């Protein structure tokens, strides 16, 4: 049985909620990613910030990226999956919430990786991948 840990991209990096949007954008550039999990002071997941969040929620609003905390861009309850979850649970979580990136958390509630659409494309059968795309992108 394939687990979340088997398909995730390991070594994902947090950005603290009090870090600036500018720093988050720089981390995304340096790590070549489009999203970063956001942590609270106890390094617990409190949100996810995407490149789109930065553009729409900060730049387009004429806010100062160097003065805006990344936590100001996070909204709602972040979704995540345990590292030992079955890949079908991963798909269900992403499909149900129409999300394209999913943090993977270990038994101590610490970030151990991220699962993206690219990870799914590399590890899933064409049939499973097709079902995922249909459910996430369907209006």
């Amino acid at each position: 049985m394939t687990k979340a840990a088997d398909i995730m991209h390991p070594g994902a990096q947090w950005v603290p909620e009090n870090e600036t949007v500018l720093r988050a954008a720089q981390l995304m550039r340096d790590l070549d990613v489009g999203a970063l999990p956001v942590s609270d002071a106890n390094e617990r997941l409190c949100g996810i910030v995407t490149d789109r969040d930065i553009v729409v929620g900060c730049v387009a609003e004429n806010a100062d990226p160097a003065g805006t905390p990344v936590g100001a861009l996070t909204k709602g309850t972040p979704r995540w999956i345990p590292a030992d979850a079955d890949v079908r649970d991963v798909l269900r979580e992403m499909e149900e919430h129409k999300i394209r990136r999913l943090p993977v958390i270990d038994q101590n509630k610490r970030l151990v990786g991220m699962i993206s659409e690219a990870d799914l494309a590399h590890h899933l059968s064409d049939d499973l991948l097709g079902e995922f795309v249909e459910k996430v992108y369907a209006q």
Side-chain angles (χ1 to χ4, degrees):
M1 174 165 43
T2 304
K3 302 287 186 186
D6 299 327
I7 66 170
M8 72 180 188
H9 180 83
Q13 186 171 334
W14 295 108
V15 61
E17 65 185 340
N18 61 349
E19 187 60 80
T20 66
V21 170
L22 176 62
R23 183 65 187 128
Q26 291 167 337
L27 279 171
M28 286 182 190
R29 176 201 61 208
D30 295 347
L31 298 170
D32 193 28
V33 298
L36 290 170
V38 179
S39 69
D40 64 16
N42 296 317
E43 292 193 355
R44 304 284 178 150
L45 182 67
C46 66
I48 295 177
V49 66
T50 67
D51 45 10
R52 185 176 194 285
D53 294 331
I54 291 171
V55 170
V56 174
C58 185
V59 176
E61 295 296 324
N62 203 29
D64 176 15
T68 303
V70 73
L73 300 181
T74 60
K75 11 180 193 336
T77 303
R79 308 305 307 178
W80 55 273
I81 198 84
D84 63 352
D86 182 77
V87 71
R88 292 199 181 268
D89 295 328
V90 170
L91 289 172
R92 188 173 16 264
E93 185 72 16
M94 293 175 81
E95 291 168 357
E96 185 176 313
H97 298 283
K98 296 193 181 288
I99 55 178
R100 297 176 181 104
R101 301 167 184 103
L102 189 62
V104 180
I105 306 295
D106 71 10
Q107 62 207 15
N108 297 317
K109 305 291 186 209
R110 301 292 179 213
L111 178 71
V112 293
M114 289 282 283
I115 296 174
S116 70
E117 292 171 309
D119 297 315
L120 297 178
H122 285 102
H123 297 333
L124 297 182
S125 69
D126 289 344
D127 290 341
L128 281 177
L129 187 60
E131 288 176 29
F132 168 79
V133 168
E134 183 178 323
K135 290 177 181 175
V136 170
Y137 289 99
Q139 299 295 336

